[in-house]
Amino acid sequence: MANSKLQAFWNHPAGPKTTTPPEKLSYPQQSVLACSGLIWTRYGTVIIPSILVLQKNWNFVSVNFALSVTAMYQLSRKIQHDLSIKNQEVAVVEEE
């Protein structure tokens, strides 16, 4: 039952597979998001939020790590898309 709900969520028209088309992604924006996510992840593991709380803020760390992983994934999608377009253009030129 859980598997069918997860599958329904995954395949829903507004589900997680409905991401931004790769041609609309920006290299600078995704690069900055990836870098800042890693910087803030590191910051979250080093800094203790207050003197009264002697533990690290793992929610902060996990959210920023997820941000950086997502941005790197988006960068890989953009690179794959741009390379596929370039390969299609080369194939068209070679056919002529």
Side-chain angles (χ1 to χ4, degrees), residues 12-77:
H12 191 273
K17 290 192 326 186
T18 56
T19 58
T20 302
E23 56 271 2
K24 291 187 177 180
L25 295 173
S26 164
Y27 283 115
Q29 181 182 28
Q30 295 304 318
S31 299
V32 167
L33 282 172
C35 290
S36 67
L38 290 174
I39 289 167
W40 286 105
T41 298
R42 172 70 177 137
Y43 176 80
T45 61
V46 174
I47 302 300
I48 296 173
S50 74
I51 296 172
L52 300 175
V53 180
L54 298 176
Q55 63 184 11
K56 301 194 182 345
N57 189 347
W58 293 111
N59 290 334
F60 180 76
V61 170
S62 63
V63 165
N64 283 290
F65 183 73
L67 171 71
S68 65
V69 169
T70 302
M72 286 185 262
Y73 172 69
Q74 297 289 27
L75 274 172
S76 70
R77 288 181 61 229

